Amino acid sequence: MAINLLKGQRIDVGLSQVGIGLGWDPNEGTGFDFDLDASAFMLGENKKLPKEEFFVFYNNPKSPDGSIESSGDDLTGGNSDGDDETLTVDLGKVDSRIQEIVFTVTIHDAEGRRQNFGQVRNSFIRIYNANTNEEIAKYELEEDFSIETAVEFGRLYKRNGEWKFEAMGIGYKGGLQYFVDKYC
Ligand SMILES: [Ca+2]
Ligand SMILES: [Ca+2]
């Protein structure tokens, strides 16, 4: 059963393994392919990356502590009818400096290709418990962020040694560079 969290709603995830799934349908019309990207920013107490390698994205598919790993960069959405890109997170392995992990979804070269989420059919991002496959939260990008090109999906954050998830659901009209500027 899918649980759609309201913005700002928080839940405990404990020290489990979680997955971030990003899915969308390929472009069957004219124009460029849709290339959506799921990324993770692993932040210290100052809300910045302790070092660059804690930014997990298509050019850096694994974090230095081995806690986050990408399934790879899907360039078209043709990988699957479900999740086309997955980030797998093992919270037990997260570097002790990391206090927060922010997940984003962006459209590659959205400006050049003149694309937004509203054009990308069946696009979604979700977080689930990877041990039980139970879904924790999901956004329908096509519906919820139709005029946007980047979304801060949510964050895992540590409080008293426990990991919690907060659904953020903030849309932007920018690209991955916007988040890089914010967190690096
Ligand atoms: Ca991609
Ligand atoms: Ca797909």
Side-chain angles (χ1 to χ4, degrees), residues 1-182:
M1 186 183 72
I3 300 163
N4 285 292
L5 288 180
L6 298 171
K7 281 181 193 179
Q9 194 171 345
R10 292 144 202 251
I11 73 145
D12 292 349
V13 293
L15 262 184
S16 55
Q17 295 194 326
V18 299
I20 303 290
L22 170 64
W24 70 100
D25 286 356
N27 185 1
E28 288 175 346
T30 55
F32 296 98
D33 285 333
F34 298 129
D35 178 4
L36 276 55
D37 297 312
S39 308
F41 294 85
M42 303 176 72
L43 310 177
E45 264 178 50
N46 61 355
K47 304 254 183 196
K48 300 278 183 188
L49 306 172
K51 55 180 185 169
E52 273 183 20
E53 291 75 15
F54 284 102
F55 168 36
V56 179
F57 72 119
Y58 46 81
N59 282 341
N60 179 41
K62 193 171 181 179
S63 64
D65 54 14
S67 66
I68 302 188
E69 200 162 353
S70 166
S71 64
D73 184 14
D74 186 324
L75 304 175
T76 64
N79 200 24
S80 160
D81 288 335
D83 300 339
D84 293 297
E85 290 189 14
T86 306
L87 296 173
T88 308
V89 185
D90 185 341
L91 289 168
K93 288 188 185 171
V94 174
D95 186 290
S96 60
R97 288 171 290 176
I98 304 299
Q99 297 297 311
E100 180 174 341
I101 306 169
V102 174
F103 298 100
T104 64
V105 52
T106 48
I107 303 176
H108 180 67
D109 194 22
E111 193 178 359
R113 297 179 183 183
R114 295 174 177 271
Q115 295 172 343
N116 57 39
F117 289 121
Q119 300 164 3
V120 187
R121 301 193 65 180
N122 296 313
S123 50
F124 65 84
I125 185 163
R126 67 193 191 101
I127 181 170
Y128 57 94
N129 180 322
N131 300 118
T132 63
N133 282 327
E134 188 183 355
E135 205 161 75
I136 298 166
K138 181 178 186 179
Y139 286 114
E140 309 283 352
L141 299 166
E142 179 189 3
E143 304 288 328
D144 299 338
F145 302 100
S146 60
I147 61 168
E148 278 118 340
T149 57
V151 171
E152 212 157 16
F153 167 49
R155 64 186 190 117
L156 289 163
Y157 65 100
K158 208 151 104 176
R159 283 290 176 283
N160 304 321
E162 290 285 315
W163 286 95
K164 298 171 188 289
F165 179 76
E166 179 186 7
M168 296 164 79
I170 307 168
Y172 301 89
K173 291 174 183 167
L176 194 53
Q177 187 64 46
Y178 173 81
F179 298 119
V180 170
D181 293 341
K182 185 173 177 181

